[in-house]
Amino acid sequence: RGNLYNYILGIADNSLILAQRLGELCGHGPNLETDIALTNISLDLLGQTRSYYQYAAKVEGAGKSEDDIAFLRLEREYKNILLVEQPNTHFGYVMARQFLFDIYHLMMMKELQKSKDETLRAVANKGIKEVSYHKRFSSDWIKRLGDGTEESHGKMQEAIDDLWRYTNEMFQMTAADTEMAEAGIGVDVSKFKEAYYKEVSEVLKEATLTVPESKYFAKGGKEGIHTEHMGYILADLQYMQKTFPNMTW
Amino acid sequence: RGNLYNYILGIADNSLILAQRLGELCGHGPNLETDIALTNISLDLLGQTRSYYQYAAKVEGAGKSEDDIAFLRLEREYKNILLVEQPNTHFGYVMARQFLFDIYHLMMMKELQKSKDETLRAVANKGIKEVSYHKRFSSDWIKRLGDGTEESHGKMQEAIDDLWRYTNEMFQMTAADTEMAEAGIGVDVSKFKEAYYKEVSEVLKEATLTVPESKYFAKGGKEGIHTEHMGYILADLQYMQKTFPNMTW
Amino acid sequence: MSEKEIKNLEEIFEARIARDEKIEPKDWMPEKYRKTHIRQMSQHAHSEIVGMLPEGNWITRAPSLRRKAALLAKVQDEAGHGLYLYSACETLGITRDELYEQLHTGKAKYSSIFNYPTVTWADMGAIGWLVDGAAIINQVPLCNTSFGPYARAMVRVCKEESFHQRQGFEIMLTLSKGSEEQIAMAQDALNRWWWPSLMMLGPTDAESVHTEQSMKWKLKRKSNDELRQQFIDQTVPQADLLGLTVPDPDLKFNEATGHYDFGEIDWDEFWQVVKGHGPCNKERMNARVNAWDNGEWVRDAAMAHAEKKEKKKLKKVS
Amino acid sequence: MSEKEIKNLEEIFEARIARDEKIEPKDWMPEKYRKTHIRQMSQHAHSEIVGMLPEGNWITRAPSLRRKAALLAKVQDEAGHGLYLYSACETLGITRDELYEQLHTGKAKYSSIFNYPTVTWADMGAIGWLVDGAAIINQVPLCNTSFGPYARAMVRVCKEESFHQRQGFEIMLTLSKGSEEQIAMAQDALNRWWWPSLMMLGPTDAESVHTEQSMKWKLKRKSNDELRQQFIDQTVPQADLLGLTVPDPDLKFNEATGHYDFGEIDWDEFWQVVKGHGPCNKERMNARVNAWDNGEWVRDAAMAHAEKKEKKKLKKVS
């Protein structure tokens, strides 16, 4: 039960933190259309987050709410990968982060549809259409910016190069991941590492971008050791719940 | 007693929030010398803040600590002027904010040395040397940047123009201010408004900068209605105390 | 065209409006009609997108996941409103870039209510309840305005605004049933947003320009003061329901008129904010201009990419 | 100078060092001595200023006013150390701008410990206790090194570092006597900083270059492995005092040697971080380069202003 709970949080925290990062952008995008689309993605991710946390709360059986799980943990207890907490340095970073996550996210969701766990299956079934859209949206932008102007090409390449080191962490299995995969409940993400890099590379090539070759990768998020950005994300995220404990909003 | 408490907080919160803003810069200045100097100013202000809060806690007599006062109020309860919470947009803003505050701060401190309240007098006596140094430092930089290069002149003018609207609030008297001034404890800041603008204008002129003419001024900080920056400042400032209540550090 | 012919067209045009026919973009229209509509619709569009900012300020700090999602959705709706109001403007022969230019240079106005800061979470409730409430009162009559695209946009906008208004009220209701701090927060938000909301309905009739012509074109059906009275009459009982006190010592129900009498509005403050000196005018404008400037390379890239694609297509065909 | 003359000078020079005389900037010195000192002192200076960043990360979030002030003061001390170490370098005929250039282009190194993130408040304790502790062990022997300016700088640095070290230990002590969460936080920080601190004392003697020459010049008095052993022997009892567990299952006091035996260090991680692929190498370098680039207009203005002032003075004189 502990491992199922941890497994769910591992998935859900990615969606929460990415939704939070996208939420910062609301009203500040390059045009109204992208503003609307990014808010939409944020909303989809937040919706998935809520389903996961509600289920996690039930699994844990300690009477917690989705908000307790979302807002009242210590930084070391958040299990999201480092990629999703990286800042909105510029629109190229926003799109690179999204793209590098979406390719993985869709693969994971597709597998989760086969889970023996009914609730996880249901979340995946509902989410698959959303995530397919995210992936189409971000892939299109990678191509547009990669194969746009010289400036956009440079900025897009910079973002991909910078964020590349956060990709490998997606395929590392925690103890909870392994146990849940073996039980047929969770997804063995390590299996689609190769397919992931193949698909990412294809899009990058179409976008006239260079596939980074670095073999050095960052890790730690899944064990709750985050980059220094995370503390500031949480300071805002948790502000109200920490300032006014135990209230209804 | 309530008014003395509120009066002290009105002074102290300015120092706290400005110290906090300067603290953000630590390690990111244009060179080591300014980094050290700004950290020094931050430390001086923080020292003053602590003396004020310790006294306020005593005055209130509710068993609070300096940290309770510093970290555990709601945004609407912080009484600092809007000027000190403005962001470190660039080094010109940092210096303009400091300069516009220092001129006022020194005038206020000099008056506070005549307070009938022994503790406030002691804080002022100790602080006057520090604040004189701050003023010299920031005035020198105003001149250096104003009468430096074309670029620095433009940036300095921009910062002065932008922050000008936050100056008038310094001279507005709250109920606590008025009562404490009448009692010979607090300073009647409204009295040195003219001297303030005269002194500021002289430095600006020496710096070859234009004295802004706008007659529109912002207000609200003294009544706890802050700019939208304040919430984010507090989210970081209060993070630890809110996350781990009632602990010793 | 001779002057007579124009006069003739104008008469036919006015008659159509009088018969409640809709004017469509391709129909003949007087230049002043076109200009007035561009001005009003773009002002409305600008208000929607500037209006995203004060609420956007609380997205990262919303107190629950449900509220965060609702707030995101609301701000997204506002972007949507902006989008189709700009589109409606474009049917009158002006580009979105020109409209942005007007906003960014301060030539075009937007609702000055958005120049106040959002200080606490309760402001999310107060904005929905009061600001959207006042907006609806302004906008419902526009669902029957003479210019077709505007009228149709307004139908959709009003439907969504009224959802937002209920949502805002519901935030206030939750707070007013909550802890002492929450009740204080709600009251404080009402204190700060009440007067600016009344100002939203525009200057007093005595000071208001454009009114007569706008009435004829059904861009306006009631005067500012009538709308304001309607807003007050509708909102005060809601405040009572919340157990909150409207911050106006002169507010009193007048049995004789059947309306609430209310205190004097601080028109100096109104004009100060309209003229660009409100608490956040500069911040709002900076945020918009920065978003636009920082997005330039993205828009350029999108255009360059589209052109490249088009060329490739043509090559394949030829 | 003939080869013989140089050889003669070198012999006199080495003899002076052997006699524990200090070498001063204006004294003759072999080119290699000069270069080695520039490399080591600048590396040390760079470490001080890059080291400001991980701790600077917690200034705005320090849990009490007292701790906030102490942290500010500590980071300020590090800037001060940087300042006089750069000055010491400059006596050897290199400018601060050149030294920065080396740092910003990755040509010069800095202590790789600062490429780890500061994740919790307890890291402020762990850095003071362990990182400054290891630094002192490295630096105390340097108070007697042969190059005068470096030796004198080190006396001051060591004094302050030892204050920081005690302060860090005191943070850990407060946490370890605190709530369950605080104890967990302290243990977690020890877990994360222990091994990187051991690595701070440099590669094993087998892998270490420069050692022999450095010994002769008193730039080094003990080997890396000896220093590491000294650090462990000194620190483990302190961990015991805190009631914390050193994260090394092989750690054990060896009665025969009088030292602690310890487990194997992950040198792959060490070299990965040294080569620029640690958790924060990129962030640290970006922060330094951004500070420098964003400060360019300020430095230019200061120089332009000084020149103007100088001219005015000359005018007055003439």
Side-chain angles (χ1 to χ4, degrees):
Chain A
R1 189 191 271 185
N3 270 334
L4 177 54
Y5 176 79
N6 283 328
Y7 179 72
I8 301 168
L9 260 51
I11 305 178
D13 288 351
N14 286 338
S15 296
L16 173 70
I17 299 301
L18 187 51
Q20 178 78 355
R21 273 293 192 212
L22 292 171
E24 293 172 15
L25 287 171
C26 206
H28 303 277
N31 61 24
L32 273 176
E33 287 80 356
T34 49
D35 239 337
I36 292 173
L38 289 178
T39 310
N40 217 43
I41 296 177
S42 181
L43 271 168
D44 288 343
L45 293 170
L46 209 53
Q48 292 162 18
T49 307
R50 295 184 63 193
S51 304
Y52 289 129
Y53 284 162
Q54 283 160 12
Y55 184 42
K58 212 171 111 188
V59 168
E60 199 199 22
K64 278 194 204 141
S65 71
E66 60 178 71
D67 289 330
D68 294 336
I69 299 178
F71 297 107
L72 296 179
R73 280 178 289 156
L74 300 177
E75 177 173 334
R76 292 284 276 103
E77 295 167 329
Y78 286 82
K79 301 173 194 301
N80 57 282
I81 53 175
L82 303 177
L83 176 68
V84 296
E85 69 201 44
Q86 298 311 304
N88 301 320
T89 310
H90 60 54
F91 190 75
Y93 277 80
V94 175
M95 280 303 127
R97 183 183 63 204
Q98 194 63 42
F99 166 70
L100 294 172
F101 181 69
D102 290 341
I103 303 277
Y104 157 84
H105 199 195
L106 186 59
M107 288 180 171
M108 192 277 286
M109 278 288 205
K110 275 186 180 159
E111 280 294 305
L112 199 61
Q113 284 185 307
K114 302 175 199 156
S115 169
K116 282 185 188 160
D117 183 294
E118 201 183 336
T119 312
L120 291 180
R121 223 162 50 221
V123 179
N125 284 333
K126 188 174 172 299
I128 203 104
K129 241 180 81 179
E130 298 165 351
V131 178
S132 305
Y133 160 74
H134 303 172
K135 181 182 134 178
R136 205 162 51 242
F137 178 81
S138 61
S139 302
D140 282 352
W141 271 106
I142 296 296
K143 292 176 204 162
R144 229 172 256 139
L145 297 175
D147 191 19
T149 64
E150 203 179 315
E151 183 184 9
S152 74
H153 180 87
K155 281 186 137 84
M156 199 64 243
Q157 186 72 56
E158 176 204 5
I160 291 285
D161 288 350
D162 251 26
L163 296 177
W164 193 254
R165 64 192 160 127
Y166 299 114
T167 51
N168 189 57
E169 193 192 3
M170 299 171 187
F171 309 105
Q172 287 177 347
M173 301 283 281
T174 64
D177 290 346
T178 306
E179 196 188 293
M180 285 302 112
E182 278 166 6
I185 290 169
V187 174
D188 182 353
V189 287
S190 69
K191 277 199 312 196
F192 39 75
K193 181 168 170 173
E194 206 182 321
Y196 172 86
Y197 282 109
K198 188 162 171 284
E199 190 168 344
V200 165
S201 300
E202 276 163 14
V203 177
L204 292 182
K205 277 178 198 153
E206 201 187 325
T208 73
L209 293 163
T210 308
V211 180
E213 280 180 5
S214 168
K215 296 274 171 296
Y216 293 102
F217 293 103
K219 61 176 184 199
K222 288 186 174 182
E223 276 77 38
I225 302 173
H226 293 278
T227 59
E228 287 174 2
H229 305 296
M230 189 68 174
Y232 298 95
I233 295 177
L234 294 183
D236 292 344
L237 177 74
Q238 301 182 333
Y239 179 71
M240 288 295 292
Q241 286 276 341
K242 294 272 177 79
T243 302
F244 304 99
N246 301 316
M247 297 189 192
T248 304
W249 300 98
Chain B
R1 188 190 272 181
N3 270 336
L4 177 55
Y5 176 80
N6 282 327
Y7 178 73
I8 301 168
L9 260 50
I11 305 178
D13 288 352
N14 287 337
S15 296
L16 173 69
I17 300 300
L18 187 51
Q20 178 77 357
R21 273 295 190 212
L22 292 171
E24 292 171 16
L25 287 171
C26 207
H28 303 277
N31 61 25
L32 272 176
E33 287 80 356
T34 50
D35 238 337
I36 291 173
L38 289 177
T39 309
N40 218 41
I41 296 177
S42 181
L43 271 168
D44 288 343
L45 292 169
L46 208 53
Q48 293 163 16
T49 307
R50 295 183 63 192
S51 304
Y52 289 129
Y53 285 163
Q54 283 161 12
Y55 184 41
K58 212 171 110 189
V59 167
E60 200 198 20
K64 277 191 204 146
S65 71
E66 60 177 72
D67 289 331
D68 293 336
I69 299 179
F71 298 107
L72 295 179
R73 280 179 289 157
L74 299 178
E75 177 174 335
R76 292 285 275 102
E77 296 167 327
Y78 285 82
K79 301 172 193 305
N80 59 282
I81 54 174
L82 303 177
L83 177 68
V84 296
E85 69 201 43
Q86 298 310 305
N88 302 321
T89 310
H90 59 55
F91 190 75
Y93 277 80
V94 175
M95 281 302 127
R97 184 183 62 204
Q98 194 64 41
F99 166 68
L100 293 172
F101 181 70
D102 290 342
I103 302 278
Y104 158 85
H105 198 195
L106 186 60
M107 289 179 171
M108 194 278 285
M109 278 287 204
K110 276 186 179 160
E111 280 295 304
L112 199 61
Q113 283 185 306
K114 304 172 197 158
S115 170
K116 283 185 187 160
D117 184 295
E118 200 183 338
T119 312
L120 291 181
R121 222 162 51 224
V123 179
N125 283 334
K126 188 175 173 298
I128 203 102
K129 241 180 81 180
E130 296 166 351
V131 178
S132 306
Y133 159 73
H134 303 173
K135 183 183 131 178
R136 205 163 50 243
F137 179 80
S138 62
S139 302
D140 282 352
W141 271 106
I142 296 294
K143 293 174 204 164
R144 228 171 258 140
L145 297 176
D147 191 18
T149 64
E150 203 179 316
E151 182 184 9
S152 75
H153 180 86
K155 281 186 138 84
M156 200 63 242
Q157 186 70 56
E158 175 203 5
I160 291 285
D161 288 350
D162 250 27
L163 297 177
W164 194 254
R165 64 191 159 127
Y166 299 113
T167 51
N168 189 56
E169 193 191 5
M170 298 172 187
F171 309 105
Q172 288 178 347
M173 301 282 282
T174 64
D177 290 346
T178 306
E179 195 188 293
M180 286 301 111
E182 279 166 6
I185 291 168
V187 175
D188 182 353
V189 286
S190 70
K191 278 198 311 191
F192 38 78
K193 181 169 169 174
E194 207 182 319
Y196 172 86
Y197 282 109
K198 188 162 170 285
E199 190 169 343
V200 164
S201 300
E202 276 162 15
V203 176
L204 292 183
K205 277 176 200 155
E206 201 188 324
T208 74
L209 293 163
T210 307
V211 180
E213 279 179 7
S214 170
K215 295 274 171 295
Y216 293 103
F217 293 104
K219 60 178 185 199
K222 288 186 175 183
E223 276 75 40
I225 302 173
H226 293 279
T227 59
E228 287 174 1
H229 305 295
M230 188 68 175
Y232 299 95
I233 295 178
L234 294 184
D236 292 346
L237 178 72
Q238 303 181 332
Y239 179 71
M240 288 295 291
Q241 285 276 343
K242 293 276 178 73
T243 302
F244 304 98
N246 301 317
M247 298 188 191
T248 303
W249 300 99
Chain C
M1 255 186 289
S2 73
E3 224 168 277
K4 201 182 152 191
E5 280 172 316
I6 289 178
K7 193 133 198 269
N8 198 19
L9 281 170
E10 270 178 10
E11 270 164 25
I12 296 170
F13 176 84
E14 300 289 355
R16 286 185 63 194
I17 292 182
R19 282 197 307 275
D20 262 344
E21 280 179 33
K22 289 281 172 275
I23 308 300
E24 294 301 330
K26 287 185 179 165
D27 295 346
W28 183 91
M29 62 184 73
E31 189 54 20
K32 202 180 163 200
Y33 183 90
R34 200 181 72 88
K35 283 207 171 131
T36 304
H37 274 80
I38 289 176
R39 200 192 62 241
Q40 179 163 337
M41 289 192 295
S42 69
Q43 193 166 319
H44 191 160
H46 297 328
S47 299
E48 295 285 354
I49 63 159
V50 176
M52 295 168 73
L53 300 170
E55 293 180 291
N57 184 40
W58 279 90
I59 288 174
T60 58
R61 292 176 293 167
S64 72
L65 293 179
R66 185 172 77 93
R67 291 292 184 201
K68 190 190 285 284
L71 186 57
L72 269 167
K74 187 187 172 191
V75 180
Q76 190 188 30
D77 282 348
E78 284 156 8
H81 297 174
L83 198 57
Y84 40 86
L85 283 162
Y86 283 127
S87 302
C89 272
E90 289 176 293
T91 65
L92 291 174
I94 189 165
T95 66
R96 219 204 285 180
D97 281 12
E98 286 172 296
L99 294 168
Y100 277 143
E101 173 75 15
Q102 290 178 356
L103 173 65
H104 297 164
T105 57
K107 212 186 131 194
K109 297 262 173 277
Y110 56 87
S111 181
S112 65
I113 190 89
F114 300 120
N115 293 315
Y116 290 86
T118 50
V119 173
T120 72
W121 167 253
D123 292 4
M124 298 304 101
I127 288 180
W129 172 40
L130 302 174
V131 176
D132 290 333
I136 293 167
I137 285 192
N138 256 332
Q139 290 162 13
V140 162
L142 291 172
C143 296
N144 293 312
T145 192
S146 61
F147 186 54
Y150 195 26
R152 288 188 291 272
M154 278 304 102
V155 172
R156 183 162 162 196
V157 168
C158 281
K159 212 177 111 193
E160 292 182 358
E161 294 280 25
S162 114
F163 175 72
H164 297 160
Q165 202 264 350
R166 280 200 304 278
Q167 195 173 271
F169 184 77
E170 202 254 311
I171 290 177
M172 294 301 276
L173 193 62
T174 308
L175 293 174
S176 70
K177 287 198 269 184
S179 71
E180 222 175 282
E181 292 111 309
Q182 286 175 308
I183 295 168
M185 197 190 278
Q187 179 65 56
D188 173 58
L190 173 56
N191 294 348
R192 285 181 289 105
W193 292 95
W194 175 256
W195 291 105
S197 298
L198 297 191
M199 295 178 196
M200 261 186 84
L201 295 146
T204 47
D205 296 349
E207 301 258 354
S208 181
V209 281
H210 315 302
T211 299
E212 199 192 342
Q213 180 69 84
S214 293
M215 290 277 188
K216 214 159 73 185
W217 289 340
K218 299 174 182 175
L219 264 173
K220 226 182 168 86
R221 306 221 134 178
K222 288 181 187 172
S223 79
N224 292 349
D225 287 337
E226 285 172 311
L227 293 171
R228 188 160 19 244
Q229 189 66 58
Q230 184 186 336
F231 174 71
I232 292 170
D233 290 347
Q234 159 189 314
T235 310
V236 173
Q238 294 170 353
D240 292 343
L241 204 73
L242 295 172
L244 300 176
T245 309
V246 174
D248 178 357
D250 297 326
L251 190 79
K252 205 178 164 231
F253 189 71
N254 184 326
E255 297 282 352
T257 60
H259 293 296
Y260 281 89
D261 295 336
F262 56 98
E264 205 165 335
I265 291 172
D266 180 355
W267 291 112
D268 287 348
E269 179 181 324
F270 175 75
W271 290 113
Q272 179 167 338
V273 179
V274 167
K275 282 173 185 157
H277 307 287
C280 301
N281 296 59
K282 207 173 158 74
E283 281 80 358
R284 301 299 181 231
M285 211 34 60
N286 282 350
R288 286 310 319 157
V289 170
N290 286 343
W292 189 246
D293 290 352
N294 294 337
E296 193 179 3
W297 69 273
V298 177
R299 298 189 303 275
D300 288 349
M303 199 172 304
H305 182 77
E307 278 167 18
K308 279 185 195 174
K309 255 181 124 172
E310 194 56 35
K311 264 190 205 157
K312 270 186 205 156
K313 243 192 229 159
L314 287 175
K315 240 186 194 166
K316 267 187 196 159
V317 171
S318 66
Chain D
M1 254 183 294
S2 73
E3 223 168 281
K4 200 181 158 197
E5 281 171 317
I6 290 178
K7 195 139 195 268
N8 198 19
L9 281 170
E10 269 178 13
E11 270 164 23
I12 295 170
F13 177 86
E14 300 288 355
R16 286 186 62 195
I17 292 182
R19 282 197 307 275
D20 261 342
E21 280 179 37
K22 287 282 174 272
I23 308 300
E24 294 301 330
K26 287 183 178 165
D27 295 346
W28 184 90
M29 60 185 75
E31 188 54 21
K32 200 180 166 200
Y33 182 88
R34 201 182 71 87
K35 282 207 171 129
T36 303
H37 275 79
I38 289 177
R39 199 192 63 240
Q40 179 162 337
M41 288 193 295
S42 70
Q43 191 166 321
H44 191 162
H46 297 326
S47 299
E48 294 285 353
I49 63 159
V50 175
M52 295 168 74
L53 300 169
E55 290 179 293
N57 183 40
W58 279 89
I59 288 173
T60 59
R61 292 177 291 167
S64 73
L65 293 179
R66 186 172 77 92
R67 290 294 183 199
K68 191 190 285 285
L71 186 57
L72 268 167
K74 186 186 174 194
V75 179
Q76 191 188 29
D77 283 347
E78 284 156 8
H81 298 173
L83 199 57
Y84 39 85
L85 283 162
Y86 283 127
S87 302
C89 271
E90 288 175 293
T91 65
L92 291 175
I94 188 164
T95 67
R96 220 205 285 180
D97 280 13
E98 285 171 297
L99 294 169
Y100 277 145
E101 172 75 17
Q102 290 177 356
L103 173 65
H104 297 164
T105 55
K107 211 185 132 195
K109 295 261 172 280
Y110 56 89
S111 180
S112 66
I113 190 90
F114 301 120
N115 293 314
Y116 290 85
T118 52
V119 173
T120 72
W121 168 253
D123 292 4
M124 297 305 101
I127 288 179
W129 172 39
L130 301 174
V131 176
D132 290 333
I136 293 167
I137 285 191
N138 256 331
Q139 289 162 12
V140 163
L142 291 172
C143 297
N144 293 314
T145 190
S146 61
F147 186 54
Y150 195 27
R152 289 189 291 273
M154 278 303 102
V155 171
R156 185 162 162 197
V157 168
C158 282
K159 212 178 112 193
E160 292 182 357
E161 294 280 27
S162 115
F163 176 71
H164 297 161
Q165 202 262 352
R166 280 200 306 277
Q167 192 173 272
F169 184 76
E170 203 254 310
I171 291 177
M172 295 300 277
L173 193 61
T174 308
L175 293 174
S176 71
K177 286 198 270 181
S179 69
E180 221 174 284
E181 291 111 310
Q182 286 175 308
I183 296 168
M185 196 188 279
Q187 178 65 55
D188 173 58
L190 173 56
N191 293 347
R192 284 181 290 104
W193 292 95
W194 175 257
W195 292 105
S197 299
L198 297 192
M199 294 177 196
M200 261 185 85
L201 295 147
T204 46
D205 296 348
E207 301 259 353
S208 183
V209 280
H210 316 301
T211 300
E212 199 191 342
Q213 177 72 82
S214 295
M215 289 277 189
K216 214 160 70 186
W217 289 339
K218 299 173 183 174
L219 264 173
K220 226 183 169 89
R221 307 218 135 177
K222 289 180 186 172
S223 79
N224 293 348
D225 286 337
E226 284 171 313
L227 293 171
R228 190 163 14 248
Q229 187 67 57
Q230 185 186 338
F231 174 72
I232 292 171
D233 290 346
Q234 159 189 315
T235 309
V236 173
Q238 294 171 352
D240 292 344
L241 205 71
L242 294 171
L244 299 177
T245 309
V246 173
D248 178 357
D250 296 326
L251 189 79
K252 206 177 164 232
F253 189 72
N254 185 326
E255 299 281 351
T257 61
H259 295 295
Y260 282 88
D261 294 337
F262 55 97
E264 202 163 338
I265 291 172
D266 180 355
W267 291 111
D268 286 346
E269 179 180 324
F270 174 76
W271 290 113
Q272 177 167 338
V273 179
V274 168
K275 281 174 187 157
H277 305 287
C280 302
N281 296 60
K282 205 170 160 75
E283 281 79 0
R284 300 299 180 230
M285 213 30 63
N286 282 349
R288 286 312 317 158
V289 171
N290 286 342
W292 190 245
D293 290 351
N294 294 337
E296 193 179 6
W297 69 273
V298 176
R299 298 189 304 274
D300 289 350
M303 201 173 299
H305 181 78
E307 280 168 16
K308 280 185 195 177
K309 257 182 122 172
E310 194 55 37
K311 265 189 204 157
K312 271 184 203 158
K313 244 192 230 160
L314 288 176
K315 243 187 191 166
K316 267 186 197 162
V317 171
S318 67

